[in-house]
Amino acid sequence: MDAVLRPVGRDLRLDFFRGLGLLFIFIDHVPDNAFSYLTLANFVFCDAAEIFVFLSGYAAVLVFGRQIAAEGTLYASVQVLKRCWTLYVAHIFLFVVYTAQVSWTAQRFENPLFVEEMQVAAFLEEPHVAILQAMLLAHQPLLMNILPLYIVLLAGLAFAMPFLKQFGRVLLVVSAATYLAVPLVGFNLPGYPEGKWFFNPFAWQFLFVLGAACGWRAGVLGKPIAIPRFAVSIAAAFLCVVVPVRAWISIGYFFDGVPPAFAEITYLFANKTDLGPLRLLSFLALALVVVRVVPRDAGWLQGAVARAITLCGQNSLPIFCIGIFLSVAGHSLLIELGRDLATQAAVTGSGCLLLLGMARVLSWSKTRKRAGSARSGQDE
């Protein structure tokens, strides 16, 4: 039987894997963390960033695409732009907190190299310029580069809204053509104080658009997406080759066992900045297999652990911001206390528990707010 992504009801898989991706982002963002070798990035040539971008595209169209039929295209586009503004404000707030946190840590532990490592030296040298560049999304310190990408991609969706109904396939073709043109033409946006955006929006938009296309068909139009069995078989075979190769590379770096020429070729095709084809294919293969293996009504999605992770996905923006703060805090603790395995386990475990706990609190707050609104409406 072919795998099918059906449009009926809320698909908990979306929130679960988005929440899992947020936990992976936190773990991967703690530098020199041994537990990061247990995350997705060390088993396939993609990581939580691909999960986040694809599912963000799917979720965005799912939410705002339905508003086209209910309220009209203009209203839906305005709502997307309002969401962009919310993300932008969150990014600026996070940037200020992040810079203060890094600066305090460097002073507290008398470690000026920490400022260089976390890429905030430019702000401390010329804050009047750096803050302007941050507001323009060009200044992206370490760990602060995926939110600007999401803001730009979502803004693009706002302007694409009027064309989704009639020209959805054309938009997908244009998106694919832009992605293919990136390595040939070198499209990217300028960064500050030098270089380009770490996540090239001209490349990563293709994954976002693919997610949006799936969300439009399954969630808005109500048409199930049938995935042929042969496609799943090809994806599984691809992963059977990729997983051992990627694991060998991860292990080989510890023993200088990876030939330099092979490492260079791998980097070329798995380049993260431009969403290299090996990264894109790895994610798509993984997504096809997951949709096939994990049905939307899987019983374990209702379990306590899965439910806690799902709540992270349902509160993605605050959990992401808190995760960045915890990543910097975890890094500074490892610098101060040492990097033995027990300390890394304590930092990683406590950080994940804090994120899961905050997600539960945020969901509880939303539930109480909705209940209060309902009671107020009845009283009226």
Side-chain angles (χ1 to χ4, degrees):
M1 181 183 293
D2 294 343
V4 177
L5 182 59
R6 297 187 181 280
V8 181
R10 187 182 185 96
D11 194 335
L12 291 180
R13 293 176 298 181
L14 301 176
D15 294 323
F16 171 80
F17 286 110
R18 186 158 55 170
L20 187 63
L22 290 169
L23 293 178
F24 284 167
I25 287 174
F26 159 69
I27 296 171
D28 289 338
H29 278 178
V30 179
D32 301 322
N33 180 12
F35 290 91
S36 66
Y37 288 96
L38 301 178
T39 62
L40 186 64
N42 292 282
F43 297 95
V44 288
F45 291 100
C46 63
D47 57 28
E50 281 83 1
I51 298 175
F52 181 82
V53 171
F54 179 84
L55 293 183
S56 293
Y58 191 108
V61 165
L62 199 64
V63 173
F64 300 111
R66 288 173 175 171
Q67 293 180 353
I68 293 178
E71 304 289 346
T73 300
L74 179 60
Y75 177 84
S77 296
V78 170
Q79 297 310 303
V80 176
L81 292 175
K82 285 178 63 178
R83 180 60 176 173
C84 288
W85 175 251
T86 300
L87 294 170
Y88 180 77
V89 171
H91 171 70
I92 298 302
F93 174 78
L94 183 60
F95 173 83
V96 173
V97 173
Y98 176 92
T99 304
Q101 184 184 9
V102 171
S103 302
W104 180 87
T105 301
Q107 183 180 29
R108 171 68 176 78
F109 299 140
E110 298 181 352
N111 183 8
L113 293 179
F114 191 65
V115 171
E116 296 285 346
E117 179 185 1
M118 306 307 284
Q119 299 174 4
V120 299
F123 179 84
L124 299 180
E125 292 170 0
E126 43 181 14
H128 60 294
V129 177
I131 192 66
L132 176 61
Q133 293 296 326
M135 294 179 69
L136 295 174
L137 304 181
H139 185 24
Q140 301 174 8
L142 190 69
L143 315 184
M144 290 280 297
N145 37 41
I146 197 168
L147 203 53
L149 171 70
Y150 185 30
I151 293 170
V152 169
L153 296 180
L154 202 59
L157 177 63
F159 293 100
M161 278 288 189
F163 309 102
L164 288 179
K165 282 185 177 181
Q166 300 297 327
F167 304 103
R169 293 183 179 179
V170 175
L171 291 175
L172 186 58
V173 171
V174 171
S175 174
T178 303
Y179 169 75
L180 294 174
V182 165
L184 301 176
V185 183
F187 292 134
N188 201 342
L189 296 177
Y192 173 85
E194 58 185 6
K196 305 289 185 179
W197 279 35
F198 180 77
F199 289 105
N200 185 345
F202 294 103
W204 282 80
Q205 54 78 29
F206 181 51
L207 193 58
F208 183 84
V209 171
L210 281 177
C214 292
W216 179 261
R217 181 176 175 84
V220 179
L221 299 182
K223 299 178 180 179
I225 302 174
I227 305 173
R229 178 178 292 181
F230 77 87
V232 179
S233 299
I234 293 173
F238 178 79
L239 291 177
C240 286
V241 175
V242 164
V243 170
V245 170
R246 184 66 185 92
W248 169 67
I249 292 175
S250 297
I251 296 172
Y253 279 132
F254 288 102
F255 308 101
D256 295 327
V258 181
F262 181 80
E264 186 175 342
I265 293 175
T266 301
Y267 174 78
L268 179 65
F269 288 97
N271 181 282
K272 191 168 186 176
T273 293
D274 293 334
L275 188 62
L278 190 53
R279 297 187 69 90
L280 179 62
L281 291 174
S282 293
F283 173 77
L284 294 179
L286 188 64
L288 287 175
V289 171
V290 166
V291 170
R292 173 63 176 167
V293 173
V294 183
R296 60 177 295 124
D297 57 352
W300 60 266
L301 287 173
Q302 301 292 341
V305 175
R307 180 60 183 164
I309 296 174
T310 298
L311 293 179
C312 286
Q314 293 173 351
N315 298 277
S316 57
L317 179 58
I319 293 301
F320 171 80
C321 294
I322 296 169
I324 296 297
F325 171 79
L326 292 177
S327 295
V328 178
H331 185 24
S332 60
L333 284 174
L334 292 179
I335 292 175
E336 177 71 6
L337 302 176
R339 297 186 179 277
D340 58 278
L341 191 61
T343 305
Q344 293 182 47
V347 167
T348 303
S350 59
C352 289
L353 289 175
L354 282 170
L355 291 176
L356 294 172
M358 286 303 303
R360 181 169 292 276
V361 170
L362 291 168
S363 295
W364 170 80
S365 177
K366 287 181 180 179
T367 302
R368 291 295 298 268
K369 183 178 180 180
R370 285 194 294 264
S373 299
R375 286 195 299 269
S376 298
Q378 290 176 355
D379 292 342
E380 293 176 1

